[in-house]
Each structure stands twice: as C-alpha cells, then as structure tokens.
C-alpha cells in the first residue's frame, strides 16, 4: 500500500482511528500494574505471583508478533488491526468473567495474543504511507493514543482496585471500548483500497530471516530488548512499590505513576522540534540518562509525592529513546515492514516478560532497592550504547 493510493486526508483519518485503537491497547498494557495488590488480595497471592497476569499477556503479545507481522505484509495491515481489536473485545470480556486466578492468567494470555495485532501493525502501516522525513513526527502523534491509554489505564486500574467494581469492572470497561473502536475502524476501512501482497512468495520463516540478516536490524532489536527487560519490567511494580513503601492508596499511587505517560505526551507534542534541534544520537543519550535518573530518584526520595515528577521524567526520557528505536524499526527492511515492526514488538514485550519475572522475584525476595537501582545503572548505558551505534548506523533514508 503506497501513499499514492490513499489521499492524505484518508491517511490522517486512519491514523486518528488507529490512535483510538492504541488508546485501549495502551490501557490494556498498563491497567494490571495498579490492580496487582487487589488481585493479590482477592486471590491470596503475593504481588510478585499476581504479576503472572502481566507476564502471560507480555509473552503472548510478543510471540504472536511472529504471526501478525508476516500476515500483515501478506494480507493488509489495517484489516488485521480490526480483527485484532475484535478479538481484544472478546478476550477482555472473558477476563472480566474469569472464575479463578488460573483462568484469569490464561484469558489474559489470550488477550495478549489478540492485542499483538494492534499498535505494531499500525506503526508499520504508517511506515508504508508516510515518508521517513515526516515519519517520526507522525509516529509521535500516533503514540499520543497509546500514551493517553497507558495513563488512563494506570489511573483506572487504581480507581477500580479501590472500588467495589474491582478488576472485573476494569476489564469489562475495556471490552466495551475495544468493541466500539473495532466497529468504527471496520466501517472506515471500506473506503481504503485493499493492498497487494509484497511478500506473497515467501513463507513466514523466510520473511523473518529477511529482516534478521540485516545487521542494523539486529542492533535495533537488541536495544529494544534491553528496554523491555530493564524499563517495562520494573515499571509494572512501581504502583505496588509506592503502596508498600509510602502507604499510599492504590488510586493515589496509580495517579502518580500515570504521570509516566504524561511525560511521553510532552515528548509527543514537542517531537518535531526536538528531532530537529537535538538529532537522534543526542535524543537517545539524553533519554537513557533521564530514565536512569528517574529510577535513582525513586529510590533516594523519602517524599511520596516526588514519585509523580520522577515518573514524568522517566516517561519523557523513555520516548526520547524509544521513539527513535521505533522509527528505525519501520525502516530496517522496508519490503517487509510489518514483519520488521512485529519483530521489534516481539523483542520489546519478550523483554518485558523477562523483566517482569525478574522484578517480581526481586520484589518478593530482595525488596525494592535492587529493583530500582539496576535500571538506574543499565538504562543510561543502553542510551549511550545506541547513541554510539547510530554513529555507524545506516542512512535513515535508505
């Protein structure tokens, strides 16, 4: 699907609808962070054990990228996004009705499988239809949807956890949201031409291999795996950390950590100017330093309210780093863009599953200090490493 086949107005409207889909996908990714203490209480589990609902979602989400990415390249990304949203509505409802913790873990895994076709394929669709020189700014506008959803998910998770509706109400609300956006996107896509396959002659493994043989692709994928392990994993336990260390209610702890997404939104609305003024190398270097400083501040500060500004700092730093990686993921192998972005998401959420498992074990057995200090050290190194790699990296326009 090329930009010549779709008018700019239709591209803009499609991006808006996909951002709405990303809103609910972002909420689904983060809503369980604030629900962990409530889930632990309701099912008589430790917070680390309750984290299985995050880990199962992340593993399924990551693994299904290996299916959705190649399918998107073959049969059309936008329509697969609609199928993905419809599946999310069904599986979110199944989570709301889960009779046991074990069932909830499995239904969350099914939800993760369906959600895998949302944000990554939307990014790939943007890569197909927006030139590289405007792509980072367009992706920044798109991620306002997922960032707003992450913030809403954090807040809603805490509010539902402290209310009588609990986690069932949270999941039911998301099921309704997914269903509405799926219907809107299905209806709009009737006006979008069906793309021709760009990779119909290759099998799935061939498409994956076509990306992995590119040296720069391996650098980007390794960098985002580190981000998943050392950022997204510990991030899942920050509301629990504030609840346990400072005695905050779950709604208050969630509201403070939700400022992480606000930091991302600050980046999104200033992205065009930042990219022009700083350039990619300085962006990822600054992003790593800000993320590390934020985790260090959470460990040092005795003031619970300081968690809000620190979460905002981490969020802003995250998207200085992540959006640069994300933009490169759309250009690693342009002929197999859906597969490229899917591998990117696979590494990110595979890393999150590893990181959440590690953080949960550390939180239960060693306390919060190592859970915060390891990211404070590793994330600046990750930013420095990718900044160095960009010196030798390919011309983004190639």
């Amino acid at each position: 699907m090329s930009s010549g086949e779709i008018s700019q107005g239709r591209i803009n409207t499609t991006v808006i609808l996909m951002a709405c889909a990303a809103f609910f996908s972002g909420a689904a990714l983060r809503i369980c962070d604030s629900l962990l203490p409530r889930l632990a209480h309701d099912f008589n589990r430790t917070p680390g054990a309750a984290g299985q609902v995050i880990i199962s979602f992340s593993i399924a989400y990551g693994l299904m990228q290996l299916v959705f990415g190649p399918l998107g390249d073959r049969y059309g990304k936008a329509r697969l996004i609609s199928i993905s949203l419809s599946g999310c509505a069904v599986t979110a409802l199944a989570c709301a009705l889960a009779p046991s913790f074990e069932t909830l873990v499995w239904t969350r895994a099914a939800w993760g499988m369906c959600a895998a076709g949302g944000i990554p394929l939307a990014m790939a669709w943007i890569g197909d239809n927006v030139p590289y020189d405007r792509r980072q700014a367009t992706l920044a506008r798109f991620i306002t949807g997922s960032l707003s959803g992450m913030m809403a998910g954090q807040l809603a998770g805490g509010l539902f956890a402290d209310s009588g509706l609990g986690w069932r109400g949270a999941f039911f609300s998301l099921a309704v949201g997914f269903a509405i956006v799926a219907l809107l996107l299905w209806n709009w896509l009737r006006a979008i031409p069906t793309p021709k396959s760009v990779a119909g002659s290759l099998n799935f493994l061939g498409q994956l291999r076509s990306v992995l043989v590119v040296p720069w692709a391996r650098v980007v994928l390794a960098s985002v795996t580190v981000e998943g392990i050392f950022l997204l994993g510990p991030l899942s336990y920050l509301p629990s950390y504030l609840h346990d260390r400072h005695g905050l209610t779950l709604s208050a702890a969630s509201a403070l950590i939700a400022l992480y997404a606000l930091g991302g939104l600050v980046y999104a609305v200033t992205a065009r100017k930042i990219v022009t003024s700083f350039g990619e190398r300085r962006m990822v270097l600054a992003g790593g330093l800000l993320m590390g400083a934020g985790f260090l501040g959470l460990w040092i500060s005795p003031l619970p309210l300081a968690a809000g500004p620190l979460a905002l700092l981490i969020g802003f730093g995250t998207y200085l780093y992540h959006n640069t990686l994300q933009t490169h993921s759309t250009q690693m192998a342009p002929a197999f863009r859906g597969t490229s972005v899917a591998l990117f998401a696979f590494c990110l959420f595979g890393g999150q599953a590893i990181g959440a498992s590690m953080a949960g074990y550390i939180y239960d057995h060693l306390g919060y200090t190592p859970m915060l200090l390891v990211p404070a050290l590793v994330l600046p190194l990750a930013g420095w490493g990718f900044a160095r790699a960009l010196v030798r990296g390919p011309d983004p326009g190639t």
Side-chain angles (χ1 to χ4, degrees):
M1 186 184 298
S2 67
S3 57
E5 294 174 347
I6 307 175
S7 70
Q8 187 60 49
R10 286 185 173 178
I11 290 174
N12 292 338
T13 302
T14 305
V15 170
I16 290 171
L17 287 173
M18 289 180 175
C20 291
F23 174 90
F24 289 101
S25 296
L29 288 171
R30 298 260 66 101
I31 197 162
C32 283
D33 297 359
S34 306
L35 291 171
L36 286 183
R38 178 66 181 263
L39 289 166
H41 175 270
D42 289 356
F43 291 110
N44 194 28
R45 299 292 201 280
T46 65
Q52 291 179 50
V53 297
I54 296 173
I55 297 166
S56 63
F57 185 99
S58 299
I59 292 174
Y61 189 104
L63 289 174
M64 281 299 292
Q65 299 303 322
L66 304 182
V67 176
F68 270 113
L71 285 176
D73 282 333
R74 284 167 174 255
Y75 303 116
K77 301 171 183 68
R79 283 169 175 76
L80 279 174
I81 293 168
S82 298
I83 294 171
S84 167
L85 292 172
S86 301
C88 285
V90 173
T91 50
L93 180 61
C95 286
L97 301 175
S100 66
F101 183 73
E102 289 73 20
T103 304
L104 178 60
V105 170
W106 283 107
T107 51
R108 272 287 286 179
W111 190 353
M113 292 172 67
C114 294
I119 294 174
L121 284 181
M123 288 164 47
W125 190 92
I126 290 169
D128 285 345
N129 292 279
V130 178
Y132 190 89
D133 60 353
R134 291 192 282 116
R135 196 175 304 160
Q136 180 144 200
T138 303
L139 286 170
R141 291 198 300 273
F142 165 73
I143 65 170
T144 59
S146 61
L147 288 167
S148 299
M150 289 179 189
M151 185 161 56
Q154 289 272 7
L155 289 168
L159 292 171
F160 277 110
D162 283 338
S163 74
L165 296 174
W167 51 272
R168 294 187 191 275
F171 295 149
F172 180 77
S173 298
L174 286 177
V176 173
F178 275 116
I180 292 171
V181 177
L183 288 172
L184 290 173
L185 192 56
W186 271 118
N187 184 62
W188 171 250
L189 288 177
R190 295 175 183 175
I192 300 294
T194 302
K196 296 180 180 180
S197 170
V198 298
S201 63
L202 293 179
N203 58 32
F204 283 8
L205 290 179
Q207 289 171 246
L208 296 173
R209 192 180 304 113
S210 296
V211 178
L212 292 174
V213 295
V214 179
W216 183 243
R218 297 196 294 271
V219 172
V220 174
L221 296 176
S223 299
V224 80
T225 301
V226 172
E227 179 189 0
I229 294 172
F230 295 101
L231 173 68
L232 296 186
L235 194 66
S236 300
Y237 288 89
L238 292 185
S240 299
Y241 158 68
L242 294 179
H243 176 67
D244 291 343
R245 181 185 178 187
H246 297 294
L248 298 177
T249 64
L250 291 173
S251 54
S254 302
L256 291 171
I257 299 304
L259 292 178
Y260 168 85
L262 182 60
L265 286 172
V266 171
Y267 165 78
V269 299
T270 57
R272 186 181 296 274
K273 185 174 182 180
I274 289 174
V275 172
T276 302
S277 302
F278 282 76
E280 292 183 337
R281 289 193 292 274
R282 282 188 287 180
M283 285 170 62
V284 296
L285 183 60
L289 290 171
L290 292 177
M291 288 187 287
F295 275 97
L296 183 62
L298 286 171
W299 177 66
I300 291 174
S301 176
L303 303 174
L305 293 182
L310 289 169
L312 190 150
L313 186 72
I314 295 172
F316 184 74
T318 295
Y319 283 90
L320 284 173
Y321 178 78
H322 179 79
N323 208 51
T324 303
L325 288 176
Q326 189 168 255
T327 303
H328 277 272
S329 77
T330 68
Q331 199 67 13
M332 296 187 303
F336 305 97
R337 191 168 275 125
T339 305
S340 297
V341 178
L343 276 171
F344 180 83
F346 168 78
C347 291
L348 178 64
F349 287 94
Q352 182 185 17
I354 295 169
S357 299
M358 291 169 51
Y361 179 86
I362 291 170
Y363 191 84
D364 283 348
H365 296 90
L366 302 175
Y368 57 79
T369 294
M371 188 190 76
L372 297 174
L373 289 184
V374 172
L377 175 65
V378 173
L379 292 173
L381 291 175
W384 175 81
F386 192 65
R388 287 289 301 270
L390 281 168
V391 176
R392 304 183 302 272
D395 182 347
T398 61

